[in-house]
Amino acid sequence: MAGSDLIMYEEEFKQIDAELHKLYQQANAKVVFLVDKNGQLIASSGETRDIDTTSLASLTAGNIAATGGIARLLGEKEFTILFHEGERDNIHISLIGQRIILVVVFDQRSSLGLVRLRVKKTSDAIGRIFDSIVGKAEKEKAEGKIEEFPFAEISDEDIDNLFR
Amino acid sequence: MSFINYSSREINCKIVYYGPGLGGKTTNLQFIYKKTNPVQKGKLISLATETERTLFFDFLPLALGDIKGFRIRFHLYTVPGQVFYAASRKLILKGVDGVVFVADSQIERMEADIESLEDLKLNLAEQGYELIKLPFTIQYNKRDLPSIAPIEEMNKILNPDGVPWFEAVAINGSGVFETLKNVAKQVLMELKKHY
């Protein structure tokens, strides 16, 4: 496969979760979530109950991808921040590094200025956590430690059972 | 590029349905959606034009079940088949774990099949992928129509490497789950090999 898979362990997941929760509170947001550039939801915080976060993640990544396409047509490398203003809710989308998308949904209880300020701080922190995830995965692979991965043991029957 | 989360014990994989315009990619997803237990599926998102042609992509999240305590989630995408949506097709292939090529079996659509398959290879190459190295299944769709090419001929032209293939009539569901199951199996086996 091209590129490496994203592997998230408990420790880093907790750190990310804590950062997202902090952002959710400090930015007075409704929902905050983190998405892989391929459209997979990594983590979320806030009032997620009424939101289809899986679809939102996929569409956000599609949005970032399309905007990236527009940027390249204009000779830009990428547009790193997108903002959509609605009647009730607004959405602030930003790229962290080249791989992760941070999304903040907020309403009139907050402001674009506040969200931008807090997002910047969180982006730095999450960027550092992802650096450590990548470093850890490379180290463990080099040491052959990923053997605990559950898939080493799967059989045809396990897969067939998924479709019953 | 799958996402393995040890904390929530989930494995997410991305499967893309590729093929010429009006070949039945969206119909495949619609049938899967219709026949899947509500607890296993999310919403089917279709970004389509007013004439129901896919504009950007269709998306269907599917949670099939657990293996070794990990929940397996497949994210199914289709690309817009019409030639002029090349940019969108490229974007959707990002991070793909497995590909289904939905070929239109009608003789008059053979050219479009060939063109689309070449387009797929090119777009994958741009991202550093090789089709032959990816989990890949071919579906020969519309087998119920009168003017269809024989399977041997289609295999000769579209499937020289002999990857798994299935005959299908996506509109009534025939061959749809067989195709999905095959590509899903290849994706999971690739993950197993990878670690």
Side-chain angles (χ1 to χ4, degrees), chain A residues 4-164:
Chain A
S4 56
D5 301 318
L6 176 60
I7 301 177
M8 178 77 68
Y9 293 102
E10 187 91 34
E11 188 189 339
E12 286 80 9
F13 188 79
K14 275 188 183 156
Q15 290 171 3
I16 286 172
D17 209 38
E19 286 298 334
L20 287 188
H21 191 67
K22 202 156 76 184
L23 175 64
Y24 161 66
Q25 287 182 322
Q26 292 183 341
N28 283 341
K30 282 179 85 172
V31 188
V32 171
F33 58 99
L34 206 60
V35 181
D36 184 81
K37 232 180 165 184
N38 303 324
Q40 287 156 355
L41 181 72
I42 296 171
S44 63
S45 185
E47 302 155 31
T48 50
R49 234 187 356 200
D50 299 329
I51 294 182
D52 177 359
T53 46
T54 310
S55 298
L56 207 53
S58 153
L59 289 170
T60 305
N63 198 350
I64 278 280
T67 311
I70 295 171
R72 279 188 292 282
L73 288 177
L74 294 177
E76 279 286 332
K77 199 172 153 208
E78 197 121 46
F79 293 123
T80 50
I81 292 177
L82 310 183
F83 173 60
H84 302 298
E85 190 175 282
E87 273 181 19
R88 204 186 60 231
D89 291 333
N90 312 303
I91 184 163
H92 184 280
I93 304 169
S94 56
L95 258 180
I96 304 176
Q98 281 305 303
R99 180 153 191 187
I100 309 298
I101 302 165
L102 176 60
V103 183
V104 181
V105 179
F106 64 98
D107 58 17
Q108 78 284 353
R109 288 174 294 173
S110 186
S111 70
L112 180 58
L114 178 66
V115 169
R116 286 192 71 154
L117 182 75
R118 299 300 185 191
V119 158
K120 187 148 185 1
K121 277 192 171 174
T122 306
S123 297
D124 292 342
I126 287 178
R128 281 195 295 276
I129 298 169
F130 270 89
D131 286 345
S132 93
I133 289 173
V134 172
K136 193 170 172 179
E138 279 169 5
K139 194 173 158 230
E140 296 211 335
K141 208 161 192 182
E143 290 171 0
K145 267 194 185 163
I146 310 187
E147 64 202 39
E148 62 187 84
F149 185 61
F151 268 43
E153 305 276 316
I154 60 164
S155 62
D156 279 12
E157 202 190 336
D158 289 329
I159 298 172
D160 286 339
N161 283 338
L162 284 179
F163 287 88
R164 289 221 172 103

